[in-house]
Amino acid sequence: MQLLNKSVLKSIYFLVFLAIVSCKDKVNTSRANEVVSGQGHPKLILTKQGVLDIKKALGTVPIFDASLSATKAEVDAEIEEGIDVPVPKDLSGGYTHERHKRNFLMLQKAGVLFQILDNDKYAIYVRDMLMAYAKLYPTLPVHPQTRSYARGKLFWQCLNDSNWLVYTAQAYDCVYEWLSEKDRNILENDLFIPFAKFISEGNPQFFNRVHNHSTWGNVAVGMLALVIDNDELLENALIGLKVDNLKAGMKDNDGGLIQVEGQKLGFYGNLDEPFSPDGYYNEGPYYQRYAMYPFLIFAQALQNVKPELKVLEYKDGVLLKAVNALINLTDANGNFFPLNDGQKGMSYYTDALVSAVDIAYYYGGKNPELLSIAKKQNKVVLDDTGLSVAMGVKAGLELPFQKKSINLSDGKNGDEGGVGVLRSHGLELVYKYASQGSSHGHYDKLSFSLYENGNEVIQDYGLSRFVNIEQKGGGNYLKENKTWAKQTIAHNTLSVNGQNHFKGKFEIGSKHHSELYFYNDEQPNVQIISATEDNAYPGTKMLRTFALVKDGDFEKPFVIDLLKVKSLTKNQYDLPYYYLGHIMKTNFEYNSFSQLKPLGKNNGYQHLWNEALGKPTEDYTVFSWKNNNLFYTLTTTSSKADQLILARIGANDPEYNLRKDPSFILRRKDVKNTTFASVIESHGSYSPVSELALNAYSHLSSLKIILDNEDYTAIELITKSNKSKVFILSNKDNSKDKNHNIKIGDKNYNWIGAYYYR
């Protein structure tokens, strides 16, 4: 491909700009607009003016000073150890993998230190290490580990090679003017340009797709392009390769499609497709967190070098919205909800979110609530945005970040389901009715999880992987991720006839999504979300509604879970609840098995030990447990034909890759249409110091369905103090303005809207 001249490239940028920008300036770009391309280096993340501002402020902004001191100590220790650029051989977690990873992190930090501290030792370190890579890189074949669909050279996959280039491009920018022209020529011709072309033209199946992988690849090439003013590389980064010769139907290692007909490619394509207008990323918060660093760091670089593109305004400012969405997808401790492939414990304390918060604050109107997150993170990035945050914290401008109930749409246009979070007095219910979520998606339509004060009560399993722990599959995804973690039965949702949603096939699942029925958080005492799923099992329709209710007759808010199922055939329905803790009490008897057998042979059932089996003795079933010194009770309507299964994860797991967590499964067999109605309560506490249990029993004395037809479903909760509470759902009309008037027994119920509770 011939290099485009400047005038042609400017025309391309202008046309892209006209096509994608339809909103007025909502971003604080006044300083960025003063920067003119060609002013010199640094210009990507640090700017010349930014460096001057930082130097003036040193010693007066505590968080920034502390971050600088910690970075200096870390890099100084690395310089003392010396440079090591080993020949690659390992998977994730192995020495060569971790060494090259640490190298690119240290390179970026050393470049920043050189600019801020004016100490040549950091520039020398960057130069010498880059020269070592320039000597090594031309000798490298593709990585010897063959696991990836796109093998890198320094790492086992192009994804990690792209990580390397994103960071080293920043280091190169910081020392660019310090280096001799001869050194720059060596680095660009022997290392950087061949590196960028390998991960793009050499691996179009990696580069030319919509996925967090390709986002890193696009940004890696784009960052280098901005440093060296290479128009060809920048065009490829922004809009993808014009020719890739990829075959339809190609898949990655997770079974995800490489390309989908009609999708935009490049950086803009990866902004278009995965993000909803609300800022939700379809792969889920774990991978959204991972992708936010390249998305935002490149946006920041483009804002500095190519402000005319106004990339932070793209899609109505979706990148800045995404930071707010991500923070709202964390529990009370700041941990991301593990939707889809998500590792538990990943939180907004990760460096990727430190940079995201700083960038969103600086460019997004300086929202003081973000300062409270930055204050918790207790560090900032060492650039213009980090200085701005540090000065805001110093001035005491922060306000608490208010995490309220929220409903985030999914899909490019916000019409492919979504994720809702209901919050009340320490309880958080997460409801997933989203799209498939690319190759990292799970088969779990209408699933949920429940938290209290940041602790899991009813869990989503997350992924099956020990990230970067070499002893476990080279730190990569384990086979159990497919055989267990992605399976429908592994989630708190309905499994029909022991089968997965969409037969567990990505090609089917990626074509469908659940539909929001209604969401309402206007009444603080009843926050409610409802969604439908009609495609997971052809001929079977599901309507599942969750309400988080604050009622003075209960100690804490409680959850109503109403799942209405209609089918053309008789089926077996399994509805699991993956509670965490120790069983306290049930109102049914069960037989424990002296010899354990798996609950089934496939679709995840082969990983569940069938520990005990019970039968309901009443028309409602009570199951109580203790966790984190709090008591919980699940009360659910039932019939004597139901089976109550006590199961545990871990069957057919010879390498102990799975957690041995428990599950309570409601099984209903040989029925077409049915309704599961349940109430989940948090109540009481236990003190191991005083050895006193308070309010250890449920507040309910009974739960029953009092009406269930095409139009309405109604349940009645009777408290221990003999008070009646009635919840009614309109099954067909979700209008907020509809006036309903029905009679149940000898009592009339009149209300406006899709539901009634009193």
Side-chain angles (χ1 to χ4, degrees), residues 14-43:
F14 183 69
L15 289 172
V16 171
F17 168 72
L18 289 178
I20 66 177
V21 177
S22 60
C23 60
K24 294 183 178 180
D25 189 352
K26 297 180 181 178
V27 180
N28 175 19
T29 61
S30 58
R31 289 187 58 201
N33 286 332
E34 296 172 3
V35 179
V36 180
S37 180
Q39 272 192 334
H41 302 264
K43 60 181 180 177

Side-chain angles (χ1 to χ4, degrees), residues 48-306:
K48 285 187 174 294
Q49 183 60 51
V51 171
L52 292 176
D53 293 342
I54 289 169
K55 288 178 178 179
K56 289 179 183 178
L58 287 181
T60 67
V61 276
I63 290 183
F64 193 95
D65 292 334
S67 299
L68 177 62
S69 178
T71 301
K72 183 179 183 301
E74 185 180 20
V75 176
D76 285 349
E78 285 292 323
I79 293 175
E80 189 69 25
E81 275 192 24
I83 293 171
D84 183 15
V85 180
V87 175
K89 67 174 184 176
D90 298 319
L91 287 167
S92 303
Y95 175 76
T96 63
H97 180 99
E98 295 306 312
R99 183 67 261 173
H100 289 299
K101 179 179 178 181
R102 186 149 184 82
N103 283 349
F104 69 66
L105 293 171
M106 292 304 105
L107 281 167
Q108 187 270 340
K109 292 177 180 181
V112 170
L113 290 178
F114 167 66
Q115 285 293 329
I116 295 175
L117 300 179
D118 286 325
N119 190 329
D120 281 1
K121 80 171 183 179
Y122 299 112
I124 292 169
Y125 176 73
V126 172
R127 179 198 63 195
D128 290 352
M129 188 181 293
L130 289 179
M131 283 297 184
Y133 275 109
K135 184 177 180 180
L136 173 68
Y137 192 76
T139 71
L140 293 179
V142 293
H143 198 279
Q145 298 290 346
T146 60
R147 183 175 296 186
S148 176
Y149 75 103
R151 290 154 70 188
K153 288 191 174 183
L154 291 180
F155 299 91
W156 68 278
Q157 56 178 348
C158 278
L159 172 61
N160 300 100
D161 278 35
S162 298
N163 295 167
W164 186 93
L165 187 53
V166 167
Y167 283 87
T168 56
Q170 296 174 60
Y172 188 44
D173 179 46
C174 286
V175 301
Y176 188 91
E177 293 182 350
W178 180 87
L179 291 168
S180 68
E181 183 177 356
K182 179 182 177 182
D183 287 343
R184 291 198 298 267
N185 286 335
I186 292 172
L187 292 176
E188 290 175 20
N189 293 324
D190 293 354
L191 177 62
F192 284 127
I193 293 176
F195 200 113
K197 291 196 172 184
F198 173 75
I199 61 177
S200 55
E201 296 170 16
N203 284 276
Q205 78 281 12
F206 163 80
F207 190 82
N208 251 25
R209 64 182 301 204
V210 172
H211 195 277
N212 75 78
H213 285 194
S214 51
T215 297
W216 278 95
N218 302 152
V219 169
V221 172
M223 293 285 277
L224 177 64
L226 292 178
V227 178
I228 66 176
D229 294 320
N230 187 306
D231 298 341
E232 176 190 15
L233 292 179
L234 184 57
E235 182 184 10
N236 289 344
L238 291 175
I239 61 176
L241 303 170
K242 288 187 173 65
V243 178
D244 57 27
N245 296 315
L246 297 177
K247 296 179 181 178
M250 290 179 64
K251 296 181 180 180
D252 64 15
N253 301 100
D254 297 314
L257 294 175
I258 299 294
Q259 280 193 359
V260 176
E261 187 176 352
Q263 281 185 338
K264 288 183 180 180
L265 299 172
F267 182 72
Y268 284 128
N270 276 283
L271 275 176
D272 260 346
E273 296 290 338
F275 284 103
S276 78
D278 293 329
Y280 177 75
Y281 185 73
N282 69 1
E283 294 183 35
Y286 180 76
Y287 276 98
Q288 181 168 351
R289 168 274 325 172
Y290 180 61
M292 285 310 292
Y293 182 79
F295 272 124
L296 283 168
I297 212 74
F298 191 40
Q300 183 181 357
L302 287 169
Q303 202 70 45
N304 286 330
V305 183
K306 300 286 183 183

Side-chain angles (χ1 to χ4, degrees), residues 505-517:
K505 295 183 178 179
F506 177 82
E507 296 87 344
I508 302 174
S510 61
K511 294 178 182 178
H512 302 289
H513 56 83
S514 303
E515 297 279 0
L516 179 68
Y517 185 53

Side-chain angles (χ1 to χ4, degrees), residues 29 42 94-95 112 129 283 301 327 329 398 400 429 467 481 502 524 573 588 609 618 745:
T29 61
Y95 175 76
V112 170
M129 188 181 293
E283 294 183 35
I327 295 173
L329 288 171
E398 73 270 11
L429 184 141
V467 181
N481 201 59
F502 311 114
Y573 299 119
F588 61 92
W609 289 120
E618 301 186 47

Side-chain angles (χ1 to χ4, degrees), residues 475-610:
N476 302 303
Y477 281 99
L478 300 165
K479 65 181 185 299
E480 288 81 8
N481 201 59
K482 292 181 179 179
T483 62
W484 168 252
K486 285 179 178 280
Q487 305 294 299
T488 299
I489 193 59
H491 301 85
N492 304 300
T493 191
L494 191 70
S495 177
V496 179
N497 297 325
Q499 301 296 309
N500 281 308
H501 294 175
F502 311 114
K503 300 180 180 179
K505 295 183 178 179
F506 177 82
E507 296 87 344
I508 302 174
S510 61
K511 294 178 182 178
H512 302 289
H513 56 83
S514 303
E515 297 279 0
L516 179 68
Y517 185 53
F518 73 94
Y519 169 79
N520 191 318
D521 62 7
E522 296 173 2
Q523 303 298 324
N525 290 335
V526 182
Q527 300 175 72
I528 188 167
I529 186 167
S530 183
T532 62
E533 175 54 54
D534 296 345
N535 299 296
Y537 299 106
T540 299
K541 297 183 178 182
M542 296 179 273
L543 169 63
R544 194 172 196 181
T545 304
F546 288 98
L548 187 55
V549 181
K550 182 71 173 71
D551 187 311
D553 290 317
F554 291 77
E555 178 187 354
K556 301 178 185 178
F558 63 90
V559 175
I560 294 175
D561 176 9
L562 201 59
L563 173 57
K564 188 175 179 65
V565 188
K566 292 178 59 180
S567 184
L568 299 176
T569 59
K570 290 184 177 181
N571 301 297
Q572 171 184 292
Y573 299 119
D574 290 340
L575 182 59
Y577 290 88
Y578 286 90
Y579 70 96
L580 292 177
H582 197 99
I583 296 174
M584 291 288 101
K585 182 71 174 177
T586 72
N587 72 338
F588 61 92
E589 294 186 357
Y590 49 85
N591 294 318
S592 297
F593 298 113
S594 58
Q595 291 186 336
L596 296 181
K597 294 182 180 180
L599 197 57
K601 295 182 179 180
N602 49 33
N603 299 325
Y605 284 81
Q606 75 274 21
H607 289 303
L608 282 171
W609 289 120
N610 187 1

